[in-house]
Amino acid sequence: MTHDVRDGLKYTKTHEWVKLAGAKAKIGITDHAQHELTDVVFVELPTVGKEVKKGDELCVVESVKSVSEVYAPVSGKVVAVNTKLDDSPEIINSSPYDDGWLVELEVKDKTEVNTLLDAAAYKKL
Amino acid sequence: MVLRSPLYENQVKLGAKFTEFAGFEMPIQYSSIREEHFVVRKKVGLFDVSHMSNVWITGSDAAKLISLTTVEDASRVDDGESQYTAILRENGTIIDDTIFMHLGEKFMMIPNAGMNQIVTKWLNEQAKKHHLKAKAEDVSREYVILAIQGPKSKETLQKLTETDLDMVKFFGCQIVKVAGVECILSHTGYTGELGFELQITPTKKAAVVFDALLSSGAEFGIQPIGLGARDTLRLEKAFMLAGNEFEGGRTPLEATLGWTIFWDHEFIGKEALLKQKEQGTYQRMTCLECVEKGIPRHKCEIQKDGTAVGMVTSGTLSPCLNVGIAMGYVAPDKREVGSILDIMVRDKPVKAKVMKPPFVPKDWAQKHEEIAL
């Protein structure tokens, strides 16, 4: 993988990242994913309070040409969404791991996070 | 088998990202769709559209064959002119939309990508059936097609040819030399901007023209453009994309291409069209601009008060307008300009207003100089 992969984050094969802090997990899409999408022009975020199961559709990220689903890497309750993306979805392209986060989940079962890929394993994809 | 343009290696070198379209592996983008879109609206862009088809129509009845098989009377199209038209089935639905060029004794037709064999076969069958001395010959793989589009296209091309481009009329066509290579030039395009298209054979000579155009346009900020921006550019002008807008069989009346029909001649499908016109109840191509956030896409349902009234055939986010835009077929009594319909995007209604085409007017770039590249 030629794109930026951050150490310390957990990853999915479908190119989401997870940053766990206590019981909360921030979720976004990887640098590779934003490169593939190019020009993110619209993000549909879930409503705060929504319960999601691992593998459920969490958000929709649209580029000019394509519509891509972002799946919940772990189960939990949506406690925050990045409302900045409503007006500036392109932040996902410029800052996929920081300002371009999508959703914060209250994680139901932290052991689920351990089943995700670490940076080294994600790089190998 | 996936086909590639003879300029594939050039595309790779320029950093193209590829997609498959109608059996061809073609560049979807080089830099980004948005950037390429604005380059064409404000400067000049170079497209390789070799996936499009080339069919020679020859013989003493060549014009008659075109008149029989399209909604145009080809005898009205003078030598050195080209014409946009549609080829119909007996039932009036569109087989393909195309441009044909009148070049001396011959005509060259440019069917859509992947339509070369279907169109050639259809034309030859009709020639035989109607005892016409005319022949269609598929030469699609012998030609590279380049499109040079944007406000600086004329200046870019003029430096490479002795032909005075000011003397070439809109939709005019002729044989010219560009960078020393013989090409068929036409003053046509699919972007709504000032532009030209070049048909080049043999294909091995095309790279010279391609590179010369990129060099010539460098001072204006030329960029190679992929199919992604080609789609957003045409959608903003509400130009038809055959695979989307004619999918499932649509007539030119439904597609609001009635203006292309020259009724005063006999052609295949005419009877069906006359019947449909008289009934008048058919769905019609309609332009919708979202007044809420959301991006309509191919096959989104169009509703009025919760009832289905149509279907989106093409949709995108308009780079120029920064709102969702869509083309789709809508019931005749629900498409008055200014009325609000719902486009169902992932089962949620997005309000959209019926517009008169095009979405983006001709002088948009001049009025929006604040959008810098």
Side-chain angles (χ1 to χ4, degrees):
Chain A
M1 194 163 289
T2 55
H3 301 118
D4 184 21
V5 178
R6 293 264 176 102
D7 287 330
L9 302 181
K10 291 287 194 173
Y11 297 90
T12 66
K13 284 181 184 168
T14 46
H15 310 290
E16 290 95 4
W17 57 259
V18 179
K19 187 180 180 181
L20 191 67
K24 288 179 180 173
K26 265 195 180 166
I27 290 156
I29 63 167
T30 65
D31 187 42
H32 171 76
Q34 72 79 16
H35 257 277
E36 285 300 304
L37 281 168
T38 73
D39 291 340
V40 174
V41 290
F42 183 75
V43 183
E44 194 175 281
L45 295 163
T47 45
V48 172
K50 188 182 175 185
E51 301 262 358
V52 291
K53 279 205 283 290
K54 180 179 174 166
D56 283 355
E57 185 185 301
L58 188 61
C59 329
V60 176
V61 177
E62 297 195 43
S63 66
V64 174
K65 194 75 190 163
S66 66
V67 182
S68 306
E69 284 92 27
V70 177
Y71 302 104
V74 292
S75 307
K77 190 165 96 178
V78 177
V79 290
V81 295
N82 187 357
T83 49
K84 265 198 239 167
L85 299 174
D86 285 340
D87 289 324
S88 307
E90 69 279 0
I91 303 172
I92 291 178
N93 294 115
S94 56
S95 179
Y97 295 115
D98 298 304
D99 298 341
W101 65 278
L102 293 164
V103 170
E104 194 171 42
L105 288 183
E106 196 174 75
V107 179
K108 222 172 180 175
D109 173 10
K110 276 205 246 178
T111 60
E112 249 182 20
V113 179
N114 298 330
T115 64
L116 301 174
L117 304 169
D118 61 15
Y122 180 65
K123 266 182 209 169
K124 280 188 198 150
L125 286 185
Chain B
M1 192 185 82
V2 176
L3 297 164
R4 286 169 174 167
S5 162
L7 296 175
Y8 175 77
E9 295 300 330
N10 302 61
Q11 296 162 354
V12 171
K13 269 185 225 149
L14 289 164
K17 208 178 220 182
F18 292 88
T19 188
E20 202 190 316
F21 179 74
F24 284 80
E25 189 181 10
M26 293 297 282
I28 180 133
Q29 65 182 65
Y30 293 86
S31 56
S32 92
I33 293 175
R34 278 181 81 87
E35 183 176 337
E36 291 167 29
H37 184 98
F38 287 120
V39 162
V40 174
R41 286 275 180 261
K42 308 199 88 167
K43 298 173 177 177
V44 54
L46 178 60
F47 302 75
D48 174 4
V49 289
S50 301
H51 56 299
M52 302 282 289
S53 307
N54 300 77
V55 177
W56 276 120
I57 300 163
T58 56
S60 53
D61 289 335
K64 278 188 190 158
L65 178 59
I66 294 172
S67 302
L68 172 72
T69 54
T70 73
V71 296
E72 185 54 74
D73 177 358
S75 71
R76 302 196 310 153
V77 179
D78 288 337
D79 188 8
E81 286 179 1
S82 54
Q83 178 67 43
Y84 173 75
T85 191
I87 305 168
L88 308 186
R89 300 178 183 89
E90 290 285 358
N91 69 5
T93 59
I94 299 168
I95 295 172
D96 202 12
D97 65 340
T98 186
I99 281 178
F100 67 87
M101 297 183 270
H102 189 169
L103 295 159
E105 304 282 288
K106 309 199 278 188
F107 293 85
M108 177 172 273
M109 199 175 257
I110 313 292
N112 279 286
M115 291 302 292
N116 48 326
Q117 290 175 6
I118 293 164
V119 168
T120 305
K121 190 168 169 245
W122 176 259
L123 292 176
N124 282 325
E125 278 171 9
Q126 298 310 319
K128 197 175 167 194
K129 193 172 158 189
H130 295 267
H131 311 291
L132 295 175
K133 290 189 190 73
K135 193 180 125 198
E137 188 191 358
D138 175 18
V139 290
S140 303
R141 301 288 71 80
E142 293 170 32
Y143 280 82
V144 160
I145 311 178
L146 300 180
I148 177 151
Q149 304 278 307
K152 296 291 181 186
S153 59
K154 193 185 270 185
E155 284 167 83
T156 300
L157 187 57
Q158 189 62 76
K159 287 196 275 171
L160 302 173
T161 182
E162 284 175 9
T163 305
D164 181 358
L165 296 177
D166 285 332
M167 301 304 286
V168 183
K169 286 188 295 185
F170 189 48
F171 270 73
C173 58
Q174 64 188 86
I175 312 282
V176 302
K177 268 193 174 175
V178 176
V181 176
E182 199 174 277
C183 310
I184 304 169
L185 166 91
S186 59
H187 191 347
T188 50
Y190 192 46
T191 63
E193 298 300 328
L194 178 70
F196 299 87
E197 292 174 301
L198 301 170
Q199 319 287 327
I200 306 164
T201 194
T203 56
K204 62 175 191 279
K205 289 190 175 171
V208 171
V209 182
F210 188 76
D211 289 341
L213 285 165
L214 288 178
S215 302
S216 173
E219 64 168 303
F220 308 116
I222 197 170
Q223 287 190 26
I225 312 292
L227 295 186
R230 184 167 162 85
D231 191 49
T232 52
L233 287 158
R234 70 93 192 170
L235 241 168
E236 285 187 341
K237 298 293 177 181
F239 294 157
M240 308 283 150
L241 175 63
N244 287 22
E245 271 69 61
F246 309 143
E247 192 183 16
R250 294 288 183 173
T251 70
L253 294 174
E254 291 167 59
T256 59
L257 292 173
W259 59 274
T260 65
I261 304 169
F262 186 74
W263 290 103
D264 211 7
H265 86 296
E266 294 311 309
F267 58 93
I268 293 168
K270 182 177 175 181
E271 218 172 298
L273 293 187
L274 285 170
K275 211 173 273 174
Q276 186 177 44
K277 203 178 172 193
E278 200 183 300
Q279 286 168 348
T281 52
Y282 52 93
Q283 289 189 328
R284 289 155 171 85
M285 177 52 68
T286 302
C287 292
L288 291 160
E289 187 176 308
C290 295
V291 294
E292 291 179 331
K293 278 203 176 181
I295 306 173
R297 304 284 183 183
H298 183 59
K299 294 211 164 144
C300 285
E301 192 174 88
I302 302 168
Q303 296 187 351
K304 175 83 182 170
D305 305 325
T307 307
V309 294
M311 189 78 85
V312 170
T313 50
S314 291
T316 193
L317 181 100
S318 158
C320 286
L321 307 173
N322 205 30
V323 295
I325 57 171
M327 293 166 71
Y329 289 95
V330 174
D333 57 337
K334 300 286 187 295
R335 59 189 289 282
E336 199 185 330
V337 171
S339 56
I340 301 285
L341 299 174
D342 290 320
I343 302 177
M344 301 306 287
V345 180
R346 290 183 290 279
D347 300 327
K348 276 177 264 174
V350 174
K351 293 208 177 310
K353 194 171 166 181
V354 177
M355 306 291 287
K356 241 176 120 167
F359 294 102
V360 171
K362 209 170 171 53
D363 54 354
W364 182 87
Q366 290 78 47
K367 286 186 181 159
H368 292 81
E369 282 174 359
E370 79 282 1
I371 294 182
L373 292 172

